[in-house]
Amino acid sequence: MKLLLNHSNNAVLRANMSVNSSHLIVVCSNFPYGYGEPFLEVELEYLVQRFDKVTICQTEKSQTQKVFEIPDGIELVSFEVKVSWLQKLFAMWRLLFDAEMRDEISVINSQYHSLLTMGKIKTMVSSKLRAQKIKEAVESLIKSESKDDTYVYSYWTDDSALALAYLKKERSDLTVFSRLHGWDLYFERSSYHYLPFRKTIFNGLDAVFTISENGKNYLLSHFDTIISKGRVLQSRLGIRTVNQVEKYSRTFRRFKVVSCSNIIPIKRVGLIVEALSHIQELEIDWVHFGSGAEDAEIKSLAAKLLGPKQNVEFHFPGRVPNWEVLNYYSEHMVDLFISLSKYDGIPVSIMEAMSFGIPAIATDVGGVSEIVINGKTGFLLDQEIEPEHVAEVIENVASMEASTYDAMRKEARNIWGTFYSADINYPDFCDKILSLKQA
């Protein structure tokens, strides 16, 4: 059964805050059919309160099974924007003489102080071709729209955001903007330490919204020579109010640790396995929610390193909807959340855990330090931490004085309520969107 969530005053919000004849178009990857954009489900419930019409435009519908629910009245449109290798090949030489491509090459050399490689050229070509297709698709969707109240929102700052920058050049009446998360912001997370057409995107959109203070600072420090600072805003993601577990107790049970992420190299789930293998006496029950390319490898490693240990139990429920994770927190007493990602933005998985007062230990990457406050809501770990030290931190948390640990749980819950509540963050995001029209 789904967890009951708080949707207080929705009718009042819609009556009081709606904008006349407004239409919001959300360009995403494959929501609601894929697992890659789970947090859009919550955000949409607030967006529909503020816009008379909302349309979701998918650019990559790769799954046929619907994963998430969408509010009534939202229109769902799919675009075909795949670019074949033949199209890329035919376009490559033509685009090399394109003025925007030449400018981007100049940015790479003079602003990024980076070498131009064939990988970067291929990335540029592919990005531009996809952006042109997305631009044409969105343009056909809005050609009959009123010129006053159409907003176009790219959930990622990728080729779709580039498409909106192109569209803005032809339709200055439109309000266009995007979010910046993690992989679409930090160069070091990309294959070639490069993300294409940042200059075009950052100066072509009405605004870009980072989900963390760290992300905003990164943007302004790394792209200060090519970006208008007034276009950079911050808007955190959020988790809704949820039913809380009964009063916390550690009596007569194992120390329960939860992690939640894709099982892919960047998330380093194997490092969690190695860390737990170093714990000799503390009785632990570890649950990992998620799946991915390293599924078989990680499960095999867990069986090898943890299987023989009497003091460690482990479970892999697989990839499940977010409401099931929240249900788990509601029905079980969880002592600690753990995230050992090599790179990250601000993990919503940590927000979810802290909404139940669960402290976290996590690598100090991206904007993680904005939610894991060292010694208050959990503990920060070095990016290149050794598994033995992770084990030591887990044991230290388990052996904390009850009053100290209870205070940490309270702080975790408080930081969620102050900075990561959906009831605060998404209405504020809507206000910022609507203010772009008056800017």
Side-chain angles (χ1 to χ4, degrees):
M1 189 175 87
K2 273 199 178 185
L3 184 68
L4 294 177
L5 301 170
N6 185 353
H7 302 279
S8 61
N9 300 321
N10 277 358
V12 175
L13 279 171
R14 187 168 181 82
N16 292 340
M17 299 181 180
S18 179
V19 177
N20 291 333
S21 303
S22 60
H23 183 192
L24 175 67
I25 298 171
V26 182
V27 185
C28 59
S29 179
N30 55 13
F31 182 89
Y33 291 94
Y35 282 97
E37 296 155 317
F39 318 119
L40 191 51
E41 181 182 36
V42 177
E43 185 174 322
L44 280 169
E45 297 198 14
Y46 294 84
L47 293 172
V48 296
Q49 308 302 326
R50 306 294 289 272
F51 294 88
D52 294 301
K53 181 180 179 182
V54 176
T55 302
I56 297 174
C57 298
Q58 302 171 317
T59 60
E60 298 177 7
K61 185 180 175 182
S62 56
Q63 287 91 359
T64 56
Q65 181 181 0
K66 189 175 180 182
V67 177
F68 301 103
E69 296 299 322
I70 59 176
D72 293 339
I74 290 183
E75 182 182 4
L76 189 60
V77 178
S78 295
F79 299 149
E80 180 57 58
V81 295
K82 290 183 178 179
V83 179
S84 69
W85 68 271
L86 277 176
Q87 289 175 307
K88 295 177 186 177
L89 183 63
F90 289 144
M92 184 169 291
W93 294 110
R94 176 175 57 84
L95 289 179
L96 285 178
F97 296 97
D98 176 83
E100 184 183 37
M101 290 283 285
R102 292 200 304 272
D103 183 60
E104 179 70 3
I105 291 171
S106 175
V107 168
I108 291 172
N109 291 327
S110 63
Q111 304 300 321
Y112 301 159
H113 305 291
S114 178
L115 295 175
L116 180 66
T117 64
M118 183 55 66
K120 291 174 184 173
I121 293 174
K122 290 178 180 177
T123 300
M124 280 188 277
V125 171
S126 177
S127 178
K128 181 150 188 169
L129 289 176
R130 290 191 78 254
Q132 288 171 338
K133 286 195 171 190
I134 295 169
K135 180 255 183 184
E136 292 168 3
V138 175
E139 191 172 29
S140 67
L141 182 67
I142 63 174
K143 61 183 178 182
S144 60
E145 291 287 324
S146 163
K147 292 189 175 184
D148 293 328
D149 295 302
T150 301
Y151 299 74
V152 194
Y153 166 24
S154 178
Y155 191 67
W156 305 99
T157 302
D158 58 359
D159 303 338
S160 296
L162 180 61
L164 301 194
Y166 291 158
L167 188 60
K168 181 74 174 184
K169 289 181 181 179
E170 299 178 9
R171 289 283 303 268
S172 60
D173 53 285
L174 298 174
T175 302
V176 297
F177 56 96
S178 70
R179 273 199 189 275
L180 280 156
H181 299 259
W183 66 265
D184 55 348
L185 169 62
Y186 300 104
F187 270 34
E188 50 267 33
R189 290 182 59 174
S190 64
S191 299
Y192 304 108
H193 280 64
Y194 166 72
L195 294 169
F197 300 110
R198 303 291 96 176
K199 180 179 177 181
T200 302
I201 293 171
F202 295 152
N203 294 293
L205 301 185
D206 290 295
V208 290
F209 291 87
T210 65
I211 66 167
S212 69
E213 186 70 24
N214 177 273
K216 183 177 180 180
N217 292 338
Y218 177 94
L219 191 63
L220 294 176
S221 63
H222 285 69
F223 305 102
D224 58 315
T225 60
I226 63 171
I227 189 171
S228 171
K229 294 182 179 180
R231 298 175 189 262
V232 182
L233 302 174
Q234 181 183 325
S235 181
R236 293 184 172 97
L237 302 179
I239 301 300
R240 288 177 293 197
T241 303
V242 293
N243 299 329
Q244 294 297 299
V245 70
E246 60 186 270
K247 185 173 175 60
Y248 176 83
S249 172
R250 277 288 320 279
T251 307
F252 304 119
R253 64 179 179 83
R254 287 175 177 260
F255 188 78
K256 187 176 287 292
V257 178
V258 170
S259 51
C260 180
S261 71
N262 292 325
I263 302 182
I264 55 178
I266 195 174
K267 295 301 181 180
R268 301 195 297 190
V269 180
L271 186 56
I272 300 177
V273 174
E274 293 178 33
L276 295 178
S277 73
H278 287 281
I279 295 178
Q280 303 303 325
E281 296 182 4
L282 177 65
E283 292 191 338
I284 285 184
D285 182 10
W286 172 48
V287 179
H288 180 84
F289 292 100
S291 62
E294 291 189 318
D295 257 7
E297 178 183 340
I298 296 302
K299 289 176 181 177
S300 175
L301 182 66
K304 177 183 177 181
L305 297 183
L306 305 181
K309 295 177 70 66
Q310 297 297 313
N311 65 314
V312 178
E313 294 181 358
F314 58 94
H315 314 274
F316 293 97
R319 191 192 299 273
V320 300
N322 283 68
W323 64 263
E324 286 193 22
V325 177
L326 297 177
N327 265 349
Y328 185 88
Y329 291 147
S330 180
E331 296 167 0
H332 298 79
M333 293 183 182
V334 178
D335 300 291
L336 184 66
F337 186 89
I338 182 169
S339 171
L340 301 181
S341 294
K342 187 173 182 63
Y343 302 109
D344 227 320
I346 292 189
V348 175
S349 57
I350 297 182
M351 299 179 203
E352 291 171 336
M354 288 193 177
S355 73
F356 288 87
I358 302 168
I361 62 171
T363 40
D364 187 7
V365 295
V368 171
S369 63
E370 294 173 37
I371 188 168
V372 180
I373 311 301
N374 211 24
K376 290 188 176 181
T377 65
F379 294 97
L380 292 169
L381 309 174
D382 292 338
Q383 184 185 45
E384 300 303 329
I385 193 167
E386 295 297 325
E388 296 89 342
H389 184 53
V390 178
E392 182 182 338
V393 174
I394 293 173
E395 290 174 322
N396 288 343
V397 173
S399 62
M400 289 173 69
E401 291 287 339
S403 59
T404 305
Y405 178 77
D406 289 345
M408 183 170 284
R409 290 187 70 91
K410 183 177 180 180
E411 285 293 331
R413 171 75 176 172
N414 286 343
I415 199 169
W416 161 76
T418 303
F419 295 106
Y420 302 101
S421 167
D423 288 336
I424 296 173
N425 291 356
Y426 291 132
D428 177 69
F429 180 51
C430 291
D431 289 341
K432 289 176 178 175
I433 294 171
L434 296 171
S435 71
L436 296 175
K437 183 67 71 175
Q438 288 81 44

